[in-house]
Amino acid sequence: MTDTLLPAAPQPLEKEGDGYFRKGCNPLAQTGRSKLQNQRAALNQQILKAVRMRTGAENLLKAATNQKVREQVRLELSFLNSDLQMLKEELEGLNISVGVYQSTEEAFTIPLIPLGLKETKDVDFSVVLKDFILEHYSEDSYLYEDEIADLMDLRQACRTPSRDEAGVELLMSYFIQLGFVESRFFPPTRQMGILFTWYDSLTGVPVSQQNLLLEKASILFNIGALYTQIGTRCNRQTEAGLQSTVDAFQRAAGVLNYLKETFTHTPSYDMSPAMLSVLVKMMLAQAQESTFEKICLSGIQNEFFMLVKVAQEAAKVGEVYRQLHTAMKQEPVQENIPYSWASLACVKAHHYEALAHYLTATLLLDHQLKPGSDEDHQEKCLSQLYDHMPEGMTPLATLKNVHQRQGLGKSHLCRAVTHHEESVREASLCKKLRNIEVLQEVLSAAHQRSRLKYTQLRDDYDLLSLIDVPDIISKTEREVEIIPPQFSKVTVTDFFQKLGPLSVFSANKRWTPPRSIHFAAEEGDLGFTLRGNSPVQVHFLDPYCSAAVAGAKEGDYIVSIQDVDCKWLTVSEVMKLLKSFGQNDIEMKVVSLLDATSSMHSKCATYSVGMQKTYSMICLATDDDDKTDKTKKVSKKLSFLSWNTNKNRQKSASTLCLPSVGVRVEGPPVKKKLPSPFSLLTSDGSLY
């Protein structure tokens, strides 16, 4: 990680059913992925240092007036820019290190591209949250030390998630927990002084912000990245493994698309709308590629109609990769997308288009129309294979004419060879792709197969007789789709629910400090009724009763009775508690709502090293805050019945701005002492 500390001794993982969040995987394990991520962390620091030096040199160049000084600064700038370019290429090399993330099963398949996890710095919540609990909630902040430690442990565990569904659930739990924390401790009208720093996954440039939006967006990005690593890790030699691969990339696309639509002002290149759009396309393209591999897993039958189907499936994969390559070449994405990614997209586009033409040539050359063949069906399939037939040809005539059929087939073979040659050439132009042996083997084998078939059929007059064949229509029976993130399947308990129901006790509402009300029931009559549930409010208060004389007001929230916490109690439970004291004196603590602040935008300045001036430096933080109804005054009061409860109780409804999740609403859970959190790593440590 970027901030290295001495690693703590590894702690045993919690059992799945103990009601506590799962820890990340052992950060001390020396795995290929951990070493790769450690290299990424070290590169982030080098890039940060180089960017700062370049910024200082640029400022000196602007301020200097001496010509010799300016020339010296320009020379230094050229060296710094060269160093940054080399660091960027080295980081790009880590991003294309597909071998580390691929399945351990030896497979003759083209590698898929995973995303690396974003790195972050340590964040200390303790001081700020303690101060806010004391100031805003008027409670003893030391009573919440365990909860704050839980939050920090959960964040630390999210830096080393295991590469499976448990790791995804861990990240989702923290993302949902951030929604609770944001509503509890981050008012929309002020900054809390906590600085969140995350490093760009593609460029290594750090971005810092005092707003939880950056934290939440970065966690979402890492959820999508973890799905890509799960997808590339699946065994693509089995049908179940390929299905898991398709599902993982569809879910990765869903998370990244949700990030693009929800967090539109995130000041980081890898999370900009343009970059996220390209990443979504890349995930869907890889899912479509895995779908094609699933169709071909059991082998392609050398049968006319099967070849037509598979040829169109291959054309579909080639089309999505061609669209992806076009998107990667557009500004402003082209500047920051790894060159090897764009090259691989181009390679795959040519490779699968070549396969489509090879399969089409096979069905034309190997399956002559014979007596008893289904002419109508073959004619229909062939007509649907192209937008239009070559000039002077019709589907049925071509099927019946042996010379036309062979000529069209050899033309498709020639087109396949051309695409294969182009894919091999593109792969050879990229240094990173040249080093991926399995990719070179797959491209070479496919190229040789097409050349061999063409050589067997070639004659001296082919150069004059070959025609310009049309493109094959792309078609698939299994269109891949975006799968939105399913936050509702993750059940999360608010760490700070002892503060009270979030619908009332949130950061955007202000109350008076707790007031102690000493009163006694007079002949079984309290002098007021109660309404609401969790927390209960004083309602229909007799101005002459002992509670009113002691300072109670209509609309007050009852927070405790005789040191018993009442914030989570229902009306019936509070009434039962009050009744248990009989005619004795009762000490009741209440708070009064001062105002109801509506949702508002808060401008948050963002610090980003090396960020271009044209990029948005302002992030709008929006919260769907609670809107509290004003207490309605009743012109005619009801009679004060003994231990009366209002039948029209208004139930509190949480307005937390979060996806629909299963949240436990019972009282505060029994606290468990956490094991020591995973410490940050030394340079010899491991992240995964």
Side-chain angles (χ1 to χ4, degrees):
M1 287 298 177
T2 52
D3 291 339
T4 56
L5 300 175
L6 292 177
Q11 299 292 332
L13 300 183
E14 297 284 345
K15 294 183 179 180
E16 184 173 347
D18 63 359
Y20 194 59
F21 61 80
R22 298 189 183 98
K23 285 290 187 182
C25 68
N26 184 3
L28 303 180
Q30 288 291 333
T31 64
R33 189 171 61 143
S34 69
K35 294 176 182 178
L36 189 68
Q37 205 70 18
N38 280 336
Q39 294 176 28
R40 179 190 295 274
L43 273 178
N44 287 337
Q45 290 291 2
Q46 295 179 43
I47 291 174
L48 174 59
K49 180 180 178 180
V51 169
R52 286 175 173 171
M53 292 178 65
R54 185 179 67 174
T55 302
E58 289 174 345
N59 292 336
L60 180 59
L61 183 62
K62 293 178 182 178
T65 56
N66 188 289
Q67 189 62 28
K68 290 185 178 180
V69 173
R70 293 177 63 86
E71 290 178 359
Q72 184 66 27
V73 172
R74 287 194 184 97
L75 181 61
E76 292 294 332
L77 269 176
S78 65
F79 285 121
L80 288 172
N81 286 328
S82 298
D83 289 342
L84 274 174
Q85 183 62 30
M86 293 177 62
L87 291 172
K88 182 178 179 181
E89 291 177 359
E90 192 172 349
L91 183 61
E92 178 186 332
L94 297 182
N95 288 328
I96 199 60
S97 297
V98 293
V100 176
Y101 296 102
Q102 305 302 311
S103 171
T104 54
E105 301 290 335
E106 293 186 3
F108 193 68
T109 54
I110 299 180
L112 301 173
I113 300 176
L115 295 179
L117 300 185
K118 292 173 67 70
E119 301 289 337
T120 184
K121 288 185 176 182
D122 271 340
V123 172
D124 187 358
F125 289 100
S126 57
V127 176
V128 173
L129 297 193
K130 282 182 179 180
D131 290 346
F132 193 82
I133 289 173
L134 181 62
E135 169 202 345
H136 187 78
Y137 293 100
S138 300
E139 292 198 26
D140 187 355
S141 59
Y142 289 98
L143 298 176
Y144 293 87
E145 287 184 341
D146 286 344
E147 285 80 359
I148 296 174
D150 289 353
L151 178 64
M152 295 176 64
D153 282 357
L154 179 57
R155 185 183 193 273
Q156 188 73 356
C158 286
R159 300 174 70 175
T160 59
S162 56
R163 188 168 37 173
D164 50 26
E165 287 298 327
V168 173
E169 184 177 342
L170 178 72
L171 292 175
M172 284 190 172
S173 299
Y174 181 56
F175 175 76
I176 298 171
Q177 194 68 237
L178 285 176
F180 294 129
V181 172
E182 185 175 26
S183 297
R184 294 281 192 192
F185 302 107
F186 286 79
T189 55
R190 80 179 200 195
Q191 299 300 325
M192 294 301 296
I194 300 179
L195 191 65
F196 300 97
T197 301
W198 287 84
Y199 290 83
D200 193 292
S201 176
L202 303 178
T203 66
V205 176
V207 175
S208 299
Q209 199 176 68
Q210 293 189 32
N211 193 287
L212 269 180
L213 287 179
L214 177 62
E215 182 87 351
K216 294 166 71 175
S218 299
I219 291 296
L220 275 178
F221 184 92
N222 278 358
I223 293 174
L226 193 58
Y227 269 128
T228 67
Q229 295 181 12
I230 293 173
T232 56
R233 192 64 172 174
C234 295
N235 183 6
R236 291 157 64 192
Q237 298 303 299
T238 64
E239 185 172 351
L242 281 170
Q243 183 57 47
S244 299
T245 300
V246 173
D247 182 75
F249 279 109
Q250 287 177 310
R251 294 184 184 278
V255 172
L256 296 175
N257 188 65
Y258 178 81
L259 173 59
K260 181 188 70 172
E261 294 178 348
T262 308
F263 298 87
T264 57
H265 295 84
T266 306
S268 183
Y269 289 125
D270 56 355
M271 295 190 292
S272 63
M275 183 64 74
L276 288 174
S277 297
V278 171
L279 293 180
V280 170
K281 288 180 181 292
M282 185 170 74
M283 300 306 117
L284 293 178
Q286 296 188 125
Q288 192 69 57
E289 180 183 7
S290 300
T291 300
F292 175 77
E293 292 178 351
K294 186 178 178 182
I295 295 173
C296 303
L297 181 63
S298 58
I300 303 174
Q301 297 179 3
N302 194 358
E303 189 266 333
F304 186 90
F305 303 112
M306 174 58 71
L307 291 172
V308 170
K309 172 185 174 182
V310 178
Q312 290 187 315
E313 292 281 354
K316 178 65 177 180
V317 180
E319 180 186 46
V320 295
Y321 271 112
R322 185 169 60 252
Q323 294 173 353
L324 173 62
H325 180 256
T326 302
M328 287 179 170
K329 289 299 182 181
Q330 302 297 320
E331 293 292 343
V333 175
Q334 183 179 9
E335 181 180 353
N336 296 302
I337 203 79
Y339 173 72
S340 52
W341 288 9
S343 298
L344 186 58
C346 183
V347 166
K348 289 188 176 185
H350 285 294
H351 174 71
Y352 285 103
E353 287 178 6
L355 287 183
H357 286 286
Y358 174 80
L359 294 169
T360 303
T362 302
L363 70 90
L364 289 170
L365 295 170
D366 295 357
H367 298 280
Q368 302 296 334
L369 192 61
K370 300 177 181 179
S373 300
D374 191 347
E375 295 183 5
D376 294 339
H377 195 183
Q378 287 196 17
E379 179 187 8
K380 182 179 179 181
C381 287
L382 187 60
S383 63
Q384 293 178 351
L385 198 60
Y386 310 111
D387 279 331
H388 61 279
M389 291 291 294
E391 186 177 355
M393 292 186 178
T394 60
L396 184 58
T398 301
L399 290 173
K400 291 182 177 180
N401 190 313
V402 176
H403 295 291
Q404 282 191 8
R405 191 164 183 159
Q406 286 189 348
L408 185 58
K410 287 192 288 186
S411 298
H412 276 292
L413 274 179
C414 185
R415 182 83 175 269
V417 171
T418 302
H419 278 296
H420 278 309
E421 291 175 347
E422 190 64 22
S423 66
V424 172
R425 187 186 70 85
E426 284 288 341
S428 65
L429 291 177
C430 179
K431 180 181 178 181
K432 306 301 180 183
L433 298 184
R434 288 200 302 268
N435 296 330
I436 303 178
E437 294 182 2
V438 65
L439 174 63
Q440 298 295 330
E441 292 174 359
V442 171
L443 297 181
S444 177
H447 183 206
Q448 293 299 326
R449 181 181 57 189
S450 297
R451 287 187 59 187
L452 178 62
K453 193 173 186 66
Y454 179 67
T455 303
Q456 293 173 349
L457 300 170
R458 184 177 58 185
D459 56 45
D460 296 336
Y461 300 100
D462 279 349
L463 293 178
L464 300 176
S465 61
L466 290 179
I467 61 177
D468 186 15
V469 294
D471 292 332
I472 298 170
I473 296 177
S474 62
K475 183 179 179 181
T476 179
E477 296 180 356
R478 305 176 187 179
E479 188 80 36
V480 296
E481 297 178 350
I482 290 175
I483 299 180
Q486 298 176 341
F487 297 106
S488 59
K489 291 187 176 181
V490 181
T491 302
V492 178
T493 301
D494 181 8
F495 283 157
F496 299 92
Q497 62 177 342
K498 284 196 306 184
L499 292 172
L502 192 56
S503 59
V504 176
F505 298 98
S506 60
N508 64 313
K509 294 183 179 181
R510 298 174 59 240
W511 313 268
T512 60
R515 309 190 311 276
S516 293
I517 308 297
H518 295 270
F519 69 99
E522 300 174 359
E523 298 180 357
D525 189 355
L526 289 173
F528 58 86
T529 59
L530 303 177
R531 71 172 181 180
N533 269 330
S534 304
V536 174
Q537 284 182 281
V538 175
H539 193 46
F540 293 146
L541 178 66
D542 184 354
Y544 301 105
C545 69
S546 60
V549 173
K553 300 177 183 178
E554 284 194 14
D556 282 348
Y557 290 97
I558 301 176
V559 295
S560 69
I561 299 174
Q562 298 289 87
D563 295 330
V564 177
D565 193 335
C566 298
K567 292 192 288 290
W568 284 97
L569 299 184
T570 63
V571 167
S572 59
E573 291 170 337
V574 172
M575 290 299 297
K576 183 179 179 180
L577 181 61
L578 289 171
K579 188 176 181 180
S580 65
F581 296 107
Q583 303 296 325
N584 298 328
D585 289 340
I586 302 173
E587 180 184 5
M588 181 174 68
K589 288 186 178 181
V590 298
V591 294
S592 299
L593 189 65
L594 292 178
D595 57 12
T597 56
S598 59
S599 300
M600 63 181 296
H601 294 289
S602 173
K603 292 185 177 180
C604 173
T606 302
Y607 169 70
S608 175
V609 177
M611 184 68 70
Q612 295 179 357
K613 294 182 179 179
T614 56
Y615 197 86
S616 173
M617 300 295 289
I618 299 297
C619 181
L620 294 180
T622 59
D623 293 327
D624 294 336
D625 298 334
D626 307 329
K627 293 185 178 180
T628 306
D629 297 333
K630 295 181 179 179
T631 304
K632 297 181 180 179
K633 297 295 182 179
V634 182
S635 57
K636 182 179 180 181
K637 293 187 176 181
L638 303 178
S639 60
F640 293 99
L641 302 178
S642 298
W643 313 104
N644 181 32
T645 58
N646 186 9
K647 294 182 179 180
N648 297 324
R649 292 178 293 187
Q650 300 177 355
K651 294 185 178 181
S652 302
S654 174
T655 56
L656 177 62
C657 179
L658 278 177
S660 176
V661 296
V663 180
R664 302 172 187 165
V665 296
E666 66 269 12
V670 179
K671 289 306 302 171
K672 300 181 63 178
K673 187 62 178 177
L674 298 177
S676 300
F678 288 132
S679 301
L680 293 180
L681 310 174
T682 63
S683 58
D684 297 329
S686 171
L687 301 182
Y688 296 88

